Amino acid sequence: MYKTKRQRGVVLTSVGIKRLQSAILSVEIVENKGEHLTLEQISSRIHVSTRTLSKLWSLSESVDQKTIKLCFSAFNLELRSEDYTILNKANETETSELLSIANIGEDLSQRSELTSFVEKSHTQTEQIENLWSYPDGPIPLDSHFYIERPPLERKVYREVTTSGCVIRIRSPKQMGKSSLVLRLCAFARKQGYQTVNLNCCQFDSECLNDLNKLLRRLCWKIASQLGIDPNLKEKWNEEIGYNLSSGFYLENYLLEQCQSPVVLVLNEVDRFFEYPHICHEFFALLRSWCEEARHNPNWQKLRLVMVYSTEEYISMNINLSPFNIGLPIRLNDFTQPQVEDLARRYSLDSLKAKDFAQLMTLVGGHPALIQISLYYLCSQEMTLKEIIEDAMANGGIYHDHLWRQLIKLQQNTRLAKIYAEILVAKQGISLNPIEIYKLEGLGLIRFEGDRVLPRYDLYHAYFAKQLYGA
């Protein structure tokens, strides 16, 4: 009498699946630019068939131990005893007991998750890919790294639905203005509005030295983004002057054709401050358009959003300035709870209250600098201690940001000299309001009572070295 030959194989445990899953995700990020590996690519890497791999993922059939070992070694893992368990096909009772011991069959949702392992890997790869993307520029609409700053979002959403409204969004660079504008425009489009988002830095110096050329270029850009033929040759009336001509063009040509409100965003409008011979007239014209919206049906379709870093530091008649009307929005630093919220989104759950206190002593709640800090902590390239020490020594991971600020200071020797005085001042010093506006517009200072101080410890350490060689 012959004994029945027992066909013995192994299956992955939940521990083994998780270890292998993490290893595959790491390879996808490092070697495959974040793109998930297909079953065929994994098969080729391990040198086993896709059918065998399907067995491995599904837990429905066993595979030999050599296959699992090949799979782990292909992703730089050493196979451990807790990664797999023996499955005996000839003995269903033994199989049931072993599965129970390995805790594989106790959770049906987990079994379903493991059955679709490759699909889950793709989803997680996309999530981790976001963490590995260097934080630079506006935060995309679909990113979960955008931190809301109540009640600002609610206020701008409500205001933009008001006929002929003006919204003024002001803060230093890299504080989140562009990210907020993206969401404001997205909200407006959901209401059925049309949006025009213009960056005033795109206007060349030829335009900024000739108001007629500037207004023609502005109207051309607005028409283009609205999908309307600019037709400036026929619709621009030189005989009545460029101020009236631009107003008639917008009212009777562009806005007349728009059936829904138009949100016009002018980013970096403080660029015009550098051209005082045209900026007074340009801003007075903007103000006149806003006043037309109080009684003119076509102008009421216009919602003007001005985005800038520096308060008006040119002398303007208050009745001609657009900077004292409409809803003012000021973006400030993140609060500590907001920084902690962002850290959780980076899965940095190990950070303690003292860690956040140290980080915010260095860079405050500056959105861009906080994002950069969390990026490096998440990617495990540096510890918090290393980030702080390197930053205080030579700027560290914030060097690009600091370098841009330094260039702006060096372009204005008077401003650089004043900032150098602020760095060493033991008590309040007297400053010209225009100089305060400029330094505040750069985000370099803060106020403490009657004292003007460097905004962060980082700024104090870095600029003291650069301006004094300390």
Side-chain angles (χ1 to χ4, degrees), residues 118-130:
V118 175
E119 287 77 8
K120 179 181 178 183
S121 294
H122 176 44
T123 301
Q124 292 194 358
T125 299
E126 288 180 334
Q127 293 173 348
I128 293 179
E129 182 182 1
N130 286 333

Side-chain angles (χ1 to χ4, degrees), residues 276 344 370:
R344 284 191 292 270
I370 290 292

Side-chain angles (χ1 to χ4, degrees), residues 10-13 16-21 24 37-40 42-43 46 48-63 67-68 71-72 75 104 110-119 121:
V10 297
V11 293
L12 288 173
T13 62
I17 278 285
K18 289 176 181 177
R19 289 188 65 222
L20 183 56
Q21 188 179 45
I24 292 175
L37 296 172
T38 64
L39 197 62
E40 290 74 15
I42 296 175
S43 170
I46 300 173
V48 299
S49 69
T50 54
R51 184 177 181 279
T52 300
L53 281 179
S54 296
K55 290 184 192 179
L56 185 64
W57 303 150
S58 69
L59 301 178
S60 61
E61 298 181 70
S62 63
V63 297
T67 298
I68 293 184
C71 192
F72 273 59
F75 291 96
I104 295 175
Q110 182 181 22
R111 178 181 285 254
S112 174
E113 178 183 351
L114 299 179
T115 302
S116 59
F117 175 76
V118 175
E119 287 77 8
S121 294

